[in-house]
């Protein structure tokens, strides 16, 4: 069900805002999530690319760093597994493998998220 600008929505599950798995090693804060049920207002929408842009950027960076180097069979297998994990994470981030509409939502707590999949939202 598409949402128009100004529609009142709520999150149907927790959504990660930022952070990384390296928070403990870098001293920076860990991942931040917005909680299920948080209400907001749709402030815009745009077509989303299949697989999620973040995952495509991460995969390009991975290939740039690893590509063109020679590894033994074991290391090559480990790197292949890492690459597969990046691809799978892209499918999870985008709410599936297909393209759709991403929504920009301003939440009650002041956060504005861009590119939220339709299946993360429900009418409030």
């Amino acid at each position: 069900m598409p949402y128009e600008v100004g529609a009142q929505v709520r999150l149907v599950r927790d959504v990660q805002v930022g952070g990384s798995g390296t928070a403990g090693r870098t001293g920076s804060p860990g991942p931040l999530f917005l909680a299920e049920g948080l209400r907001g207002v749709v402030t815009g929408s745009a077509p989303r690319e299949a697989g999620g842009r973040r995952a495509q950027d991460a995969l390009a960076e991975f290939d740039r760093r690893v590509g063109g180097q020679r590894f033994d069979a074991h290391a090559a297998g480990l790197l292949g597994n890492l690459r597969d994990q990046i691809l799978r994470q892209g499918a999870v981030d985008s709410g599936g493998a297909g393209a759709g509409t991403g929504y920009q939502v301003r939440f009650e707590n002041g956060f504005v998220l861009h590119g939220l999949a339709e299946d993360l939202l429900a009418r409030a």
Side-chain angles (χ1 to χ4, degrees), residues 7-118:
Q8 299 283 326
V9 295
R10 65 178 172 77
L11 291 174
V12 296
R13 65 176 185 260
D14 292 354
V15 174
Q16 184 172 353
V17 175
S20 69
T22 61
R25 292 189 295 260
T26 63
S28 62
L32 175 66
F33 289 85
L34 294 182
E36 175 183 341
L38 185 63
R39 295 176 184 272
V41 175
V42 174
T43 58
S45 64
R48 290 170 18 115
E49 297 177 20
R53 184 74 206 157
R54 241 184 338 185
Q56 291 174 359
D57 292 344
L59 188 57
E61 178 65 13
F62 180 84
D63 288 342
R64 185 189 66 77
R65 289 183 181 208
V66 176
Q69 299 188 34
R70 298 182 72 161
F71 298 99
D72 64 29
H74 179 71
L78 290 174
L79 291 171
N81 287 340
L82 286 173
R83 191 173 197 286
D84 290 345
Q85 287 178 15
I86 293 170
L87 289 170
R88 281 193 302 273
Q89 186 61 45
V92 169
D93 286 346
S94 68
T101 301
Y103 295 93
Q104 180 172 311
V105 179
R106 177 176 297 278
F107 291 97
E108 294 173 328
N109 62 4
F111 278 93
V112 177
L113 294 184
H114 179 74
L116 286 173
E118 192 172 319

